[in-house]
Amino acid sequence: FRFFMLNPSQSHHNTTMSKSPLAPLAPLFQALNWVAFGGWAYVCYNLFVGCDAQEMDPYVKYLECICLVEVLRIMLGDLKGNLMLGLFLHAIRLGSLFAVIPRLPEGHWTQDYIYFAYSVAEVTRYPMYLFPSSNIMRNIRMVAPLFTFPVGCYTEGLAAYIVLLQEKEEGAEKHPVWLVIVLAFILFVNGVLGPTQAMPALLKKGLPALGLAPPPAPKAKPEVKRI
């Protein structure tokens, strides 16, 4: 029944976050969370009913900008999270959104899968921020990436590879250096770091939520020596 229990550590978490210099902006960030949740839900629904992914393109780009705000909050200590994972993940997203997807053949299926992976991941993530005392929402957040991450990681990498090969087509122009660097970065991160670093970290959090692994042992507090 661990999946449905309330999160007892949330009050301590809120106390720690309240010390952040961005604490006075908490109502604004909460409103932004609702906007992002509604926006990603809209994208997810439209993709599910068969809407063309290209029609969702501007929504996804605007919503990704909200995600960047959260990375900034993690950097400033206002939000708990894995900063390094966030930086790499959103760097890959930005590269895919602005460098890869616009160069794919029109209507290519990888765009649908990339956007669907993004939207499902975010729709299952924001409720944890909107209802921070609910362990159900937290566990959904931990479990969902076990499915969305492999799909997004594979299709982002495949899309980058397709674009990389375009310059070898007859009559095609050579890619600019910056684009080759972006494509190589996506292929390296998604092909090497994703399976070997990110996925094991996600499994470490997701499997205990499913009851398939013991929860991680709490970190021992350092002893304070009294003089």
Side-chain angles (χ1 to χ4, degrees), residues 83-107:
L83 178 59
M84 193 58 62
L85 178 62
L87 288 173
F88 273 92
L89 186 148
H90 293 290
I92 295 297
R93 281 194 184 184
L94 290 173
S96 297
L97 288 173
F98 293 98
V100 177
I101 290 175
R103 291 174 171 81
L104 285 172
E106 185 175 355

Side-chain angles (χ1 to χ4, degrees), residues 33-57:
N33 287 340
W34 278 107
V35 171
F37 174 70
W40 284 114
Y42 176 78
V43 172
C44 186
Y45 170 77
N46 279 277
L47 292 173
F48 183 76
V49 298
C51 178
D52 188 349
Q54 290 184 333
E55 295 180 19
M56 296 292 103
D57 191 70

